Amino acid sequence: DRAPGGPMSMMHSGISQAREYDDPPGLHEKTEYLLREWVNMYHNASAGRDSTKAFTMFVHQMNVQGILKTDDLITRFFRLSTEMCTELCYRAFSDQSNPSPSLVRAKCFHTLDAYVRLITLLVKHSGDANNSLTKINLLHKVLGIVAGVLLRDHDFRSTEFQQLPYHRIFIMLFLELSAPEQVLESISVQVLNAFCNTLHILQPSKAPGFAYAWLELVSHRVFLGKMLVLTPQQRAWGMYAQLLIDMFKFLAPFLRNVELPKQIQLLYKGTLRVLLVLLHDFPEFLCDYHYGFCDVIPPNCIQMRNLILSAFPRHMRLPDPFTPNLKVDLLPEITQAPRVLTNFASMIQPANFKKDLDSYINSRSPVTFLSELRSNLQVSNEPGMRYNIPLINALVLYVGTQAISHIQTKGQAPSMGTITHSSHMDIFQNLAVDLDTEGRYLFLNAITNQLRYPNSHTHYFSCTLLYLFAEANTEAIQEQITRVLLERLIVNRPHPWGLLVTFIELIKNPTFKFWNHEFVRCAPEIEKLFDSVARSCMPQKPS
Amino acid sequence: GVAPLGPVPLTKNCFFQSQMLEASSQHMPHPSDSERLRLYFPRNLCPTPSYYPQSLPNCDSLDFFQRLSVETLFFIFYYMEGTKAQYLAAKALKKQSWRFHTEHMMWFQRHEEPKTINDEFEQGTYIYFDYEKWGQRKKEGFIFEYRFLEDRDLN
């Protein structure tokens, strides 16, 4: 697709052609005439089912006007038509004599829907019936043109920008191209691809004035269904994950600063709703891409992350974490690794750091690797942005998965006894001791992001976190571990299973002497909180 | 909420993004923007007190439609074109032995056994629903030609 001359290059040429103005004389008038003709024909009762009769006549007219002579003229025709349609919407909005908002909308839809049908028919009928490449190329071209006109309009009008015409064109075109027809079904994956590429190009950080419409498009039930259910072999899952990542990236700087202006709150709420739909209907999707999502969601967005981390495969039955004497290591699922569809190993950069890491994991030397670890993760001295968070996340998961396979090759299973005294645990213990508060918070969060449904990662990292607590040389580390777990539990549901299991083990198992620590009783409301958690998960709290 | 890592100054670009978002929040997408045009009732959102029903459970099932009166079904059929509701209304009408005449664009029901039945048509007394006068009418000696019978399987 990305090859020169492929559909993506059609889209990019469409985008750049949206900025050209040197039209041949008379083309503007011809386009205006043709578009008006088409809108009339589309709304006429004699247009035939799906406007096919009208279309045959219209193609003849386009020929007479010479529009279909060259690709360049066709491109210009689409650009001018898109501009005319959007202009018309701006005029309808500014016309104060319009009696009601729904009539203004109806007026806009009158033209936009006709234009969308024209695009659909031209795409369907371009090339031979079996020539899908011509159709796909044309679709990419048109989407590129509409995206290009949008971006230019967005820059040019700034806060006066209206998302409606573009929103309508994209969604209606998508619905038309999703109709149950053989011609369309044979190109459905490429159609999805084209729309995903367009949405990625128009992501909220590129066109913030289009962000609400963008989220509506991404979460539209037909779009969601096509992306996550109807496309075989989950071939569209990766593309859909990319779109969600686009949204998380846009929200991240605002969310991490907590003070959210109303317009961001609105978008955040919408994103949470999409996540709830996904958690309910497509939990496996959230499971597979949790790593990539958690990598871009700021550490303080606890509920958002909990939604993602609470997802578990639908066929699984999770044992109640509050069951007395729950034996986690006896669950059959605990030996199976979860699917992680992000290549996290490749995110450990630069290459020589990865080389040193691998060599330390294998040989447990040199010790200087550990002492230099902190400087490899640190990127600046600015408080709050000292560390390379994606690198910490990648390092933690990579070392953990290496540890699991190391233990398994020895014929053992990860447990509190087998995870210790290894190069992997050296790295984790070193990070716990050597990092400052900020770094340790990020490190512990990276571990806690793996506490999900019963699987080998959950089990390994649960043991690791408890081991780090037990072996901590200062109370500060223990307090921070408690903090990371607790702050994910005091928010509203859902709570990931592995998180609950780990926390319950910590407060229940006397070997951790949890209740002897100062910080448990540092404030009356904290103490009360612990008491209530304790009451809910064990019959009698040790006093 | 809490910001454990402390706030970070927003970039100029973030301020621009926030401003663009604020402006577009003044004209949010409307539910009708991503729906086919409704000619007869455009969506008209307005706040209603919470003690009025805000939704009907299970209202898009055939079961629900079969409990509606025929008048309601005719209304849905003629005024909600191209929707799932129209499809369900047509299905419910067919279950009650109404047949759609594609030339008159009206629904017919036998009032009695037809006087004549052959391969091309049947003839007899029918009840039909007149969407212009908005009411049920009776027609005697009507010839229902089978080529105007809408007989697609609605499944």
Side-chain angles (χ1 to χ4, degrees):
Chain A
D1 244 31
R2 318 232 165 225
M8 246 343 248
S9 74
M10 298 300 285
M11 184 172 293
H12 285 296
S13 82
I15 292 174
S16 56
Q17 276 158 353
R19 296 181 187 270
E20 282 170 21
Y21 281 109
D22 52 336
D23 294 319
L27 186 65
H28 194 277
E29 292 72 18
K30 273 184 196 173
T31 306
E32 196 167 4
Y33 165 76
L34 283 170
L35 188 64
R36 189 171 303 138
E37 278 290 283
W38 171 253
V39 174
N40 289 336
M41 288 162 89
Y42 170 82
H43 289 286
N44 197 297
S46 66
R49 200 175 164 73
D50 296 333
S51 330
T52 37
K53 267 190 212 148
F55 181 66
T56 319
M57 277 153 47
F58 186 70
V59 169
H60 176 70
Q61 286 199 32
M62 283 183 95
N63 256 322
V64 171
Q65 299 288 339
I67 298 290
L68 300 177
K69 248 186 262 168
T70 64
D71 280 355
D72 179 60
L73 280 174
I74 298 174
T75 305
R76 287 174 191 277
F77 171 78
F78 279 121
R79 192 199 81 231
L80 288 166
S81 300
T82 309
E83 288 171 355
M84 286 167 193
C85 289
T86 56
E87 274 303 321
L88 180 130
C89 296
Y90 279 102
R91 278 203 303 279
F93 279 118
S94 61
D95 186 355
Q96 299 299 323
S97 68
N98 269 319
S100 82
S102 62
L103 276 177
V104 174
R105 280 199 143 72
K107 200 171 166 183
C108 297
F109 297 169
H110 185 81
T111 302
L112 293 169
D113 291 0
Y115 179 47
V116 164
R117 176 64 55 79
L118 180 62
I119 299 173
T120 309
L121 289 166
L122 283 166
V123 167
K124 262 166 63 176
H125 291 98
S126 71
D128 302 330
N130 297 320
N131 187 347
S132 58
L133 189 63
T134 334
K135 301 184 211 307
I136 287 304
N137 280 346
L138 181 63
L139 177 64
H140 276 82
K141 186 79 159 202
V142 177
L143 287 174
I145 289 167
V146 178
V149 172
L150 186 160
L151 290 170
R152 206 192 55 208
D153 195 20
H154 187 272
D155 284 358
F156 180 70
R157 295 196 200 246
S158 186
T159 52
E160 299 297 307
F161 174 78
Q162 289 276 0
Q163 50 198 335
L164 177 130
Y166 305 99
H167 181 197
R168 182 80 178 174
I169 291 176
F170 285 130
I171 191 61
M172 285 298 139
L173 189 56
F174 183 76
L175 293 177
E176 295 253 315
L177 294 173
S178 307
E181 281 175 59
Q182 226 237 302
V183 200
L184 296 174
E185 275 162 11
S186 64
I187 56 169
S188 71
V189 177
Q190 292 101 310
V191 169
L192 278 182
N193 206 348
F195 275 90
C196 285
N197 289 332
T198 312
L199 287 167
H200 182 56
I201 287 167
L202 299 175
Q203 58 184 277
S205 51
K206 299 276 168 53
F210 189 62
Y212 296 113
W214 189 92
L215 186 60
E216 288 268 319
L217 288 164
V218 166
S219 58
H220 192 279
R221 63 193 165 78
V222 179
F223 185 69
L224 232 154
K226 286 248 164 186
M227 294 298 291
L228 298 182
V229 193
L230 298 172
T231 306
Q233 289 132 27
Q234 304 171 351
R235 273 198 287 171
W237 282 26
M239 293 191 279
Y240 198 73
Q242 180 58 53
L243 294 176
L244 288 183
I245 287 174
D246 290 343
M247 180 52 102
F248 296 144
K249 278 188 176 161
F250 173 74
L251 289 172
F254 302 103
L255 293 180
R256 90 155 261 175
N257 277 1
V258 181
E259 268 176 53
L260 300 182
K262 212 165 162 223
Q263 63 272 23
I264 301 280
Q265 271 180 41
L266 221 55
L267 202 60
Y268 170 71
K269 235 168 111 181
T271 309
L272 279 192
R273 281 194 184 190
V274 177
L275 282 175
L276 274 171
V277 170
L278 293 171
L279 178 64
H280 186 267
D281 291 356
F282 311 101
E284 291 89 354
F285 169 76
L286 290 182
C287 287
D288 286 358
Y289 290 93
H290 88 285
Y291 182 88
F293 297 155
C294 288
D295 220 22
V296 289
I297 294 176
N300 62 323
C301 297
I302 292 174
Q303 184 167 43
M304 199 176 218
R305 224 182 8 241
N306 271 357
L307 282 175
I308 292 162
L309 298 178
S310 298
F312 60 91
R314 260 169 297 191
H315 63 80
M316 233 182 229
R317 289 285 159 265
L318 306 192
D320 181 359
F322 297 105
T323 317
N325 300 320
L326 176 66
K327 293 274 177 285
V328 172
D329 40 350
L330 296 182
L331 296 175
E333 293 91 355
I334 225 74
T335 56
Q336 279 154 28
R339 207 152 72 138
V340 181
L341 291 181
T342 312
N343 186 358
F344 55 88
S346 74
M347 292 159 104
I348 301 179
Q349 294 290 347
N352 58 345
F353 175 59
K354 172 80 176 0
K355 221 179 91 215
D356 293 346
L357 172 66
D358 281 327
S359 117
Y360 184 83
I361 288 177
N362 291 326
S363 65
R364 219 175 165 182
S365 70
V367 195
T368 49
F369 173 78
L370 295 177
S371 52
E372 285 159 12
L373 200 48
R374 177 176 173 171
S375 59
N376 277 303
L377 302 175
Q378 199 160 346
V379 284
S380 82
N381 281 317
E382 288 287 308
M385 36 202 318
R386 281 198 191 108
Y387 291 93
N388 181 344
I389 300 178
L391 182 58
I392 294 180
N393 290 339
L395 180 74
V396 165
L397 186 53
Y398 181 73
V399 173
T401 50
Q402 292 292 312
I404 295 168
S405 53
H406 179 71
I407 294 165
Q408 285 171 342
T409 49
K410 289 194 293 184
Q412 296 171 320
S415 72
M416 288 302 272
T418 56
I419 60 168
T420 59
H421 307 301
S422 65
S423 54
H424 316 92
M425 194 49 84
D426 289 350
I427 294 173
F428 288 152
Q429 278 190 297
N430 187 269
L431 288 171
V433 174
D434 198 33
L435 290 173
D436 58 11
T437 317
E438 180 181 334
R440 201 184 301 124
Y441 182 71
L442 297 169
F443 163 63
L444 295 172
N445 260 310
I447 293 181
T448 315
N449 285 349
Q450 307 307 324
L451 304 179
R452 303 187 288 151
Y453 58 90
N455 63 54
S456 64
H457 294 182
T458 296
H459 187 46
Y460 173 82
F461 283 106
S462 175
C463 293
T464 300
L465 203 58
L466 293 170
Y467 180 75
L468 290 176
F469 187 93
E471 295 293 309
N473 57 359
T474 65
E475 200 168 59
I477 299 175
Q478 294 171 319
E479 180 174 351
Q480 225 174 351
I481 292 175
T482 311
R483 181 222 164 115
V484 167
L485 290 171
L486 190 67
E487 75 180 358
R488 294 189 188 213
L489 290 169
I490 54 176
V491 297
N492 286 331
R493 289 192 307 155
H495 303 121
W497 181 87
L499 182 72
L500 276 167
V501 164
T502 307
F503 188 68
I504 291 170
E505 181 67 16
L506 182 65
I507 62 172
K508 229 166 118 173
N509 192 328
T511 56
F512 298 112
K513 304 193 180 67
F514 181 78
W515 301 100
N516 297 348
H517 290 289
E518 268 310 281
F519 59 80
V520 178
R521 309 183 199 285
C522 65
E525 59 269 35
I526 300 266
E527 203 177 341
K528 243 199 229 152
L529 193 76
F530 279 122
D531 280 345
S532 84
V533 178
R535 260 198 309 278
S536 67
C537 63
M538 47 210 236
Q540 202 118 64
K541 175 174 82 84
S543 47
Chain B
V2 281
L5 304 179
V8 164
L10 290 179
T11 61
K12 237 172 111 186
N13 195 25
C14 283
F15 279 114
F16 164 73
Q17 291 173 344
S18 178
Q19 211 184 350
M20 286 300 283
L21 203 61
E22 218 253 300
S24 69
S25 72
Q26 305 302 312
H27 27 80
M28 291 289 272
H30 190 268
S32 65
D33 293 352
S34 45
E35 286 173 350
R36 289 191 195 286
L37 192 57
R38 299 184 178 193
L39 280 177
Y40 301 102
F41 336 92
R43 271 187 191 259
N44 187 13
L45 303 186
C46 48
T48 48
S50 59
Y51 47 81
Y52 284 109
Q54 302 293 318
S55 70
L56 269 175
N58 212 18
C59 65
D60 65 344
S61 63
L62 182 59
D63 216 42
F64 180 87
F65 275 69
Q66 280 176 305
R67 281 181 280 144
L68 301 175
S69 70
V70 281
E71 290 264 312
T72 311
L73 294 175
F74 290 130
F75 179 79
I76 293 168
F77 183 82
Y78 287 108
Y79 286 89
M80 299 174 75
E81 202 184 328
T83 62
K84 186 179 178 188
Q86 187 195 35
Y87 165 85
L88 289 171
K91 236 176 139 157
L93 284 168
K94 283 191 180 187
K95 282 211 173 233
Q96 297 181 42
S97 303
W98 287 89
R99 298 289 171 261
F100 189 63
H101 194 287
T102 58
E103 197 196 27
H104 296 304
M105 306 295 264
M106 288 182 196
W107 290 87
F108 286 75
Q109 193 182 44
R110 286 178 185 171
H111 185 61
E112 53 182 31
E113 271 304 295
K115 302 257 183 321
T116 326
I117 298 184
N118 59 34
D119 283 350
E120 265 99 54
F121 64 84
E122 58 182 60
Q123 186 177 21
T125 306
Y126 292 84
I127 307 285
Y128 67 100
F129 188 82
D130 185 335
Y131 61 83
E132 279 172 337
K133 305 251 165 44
W134 205 257
Q136 293 189 29
R137 298 271 181 284
K138 193 154 91 179
K139 205 169 188 107
E140 282 165 23
F142 179 71
I143 300 176
F144 199 130
E145 290 185 59
Y146 290 143
R147 64 191 173 109
F148 296 128
L149 175 69
E150 193 279 315
D151 59 355
R152 264 183 304 165
D153 200 8
L154 289 189
N155 278 312

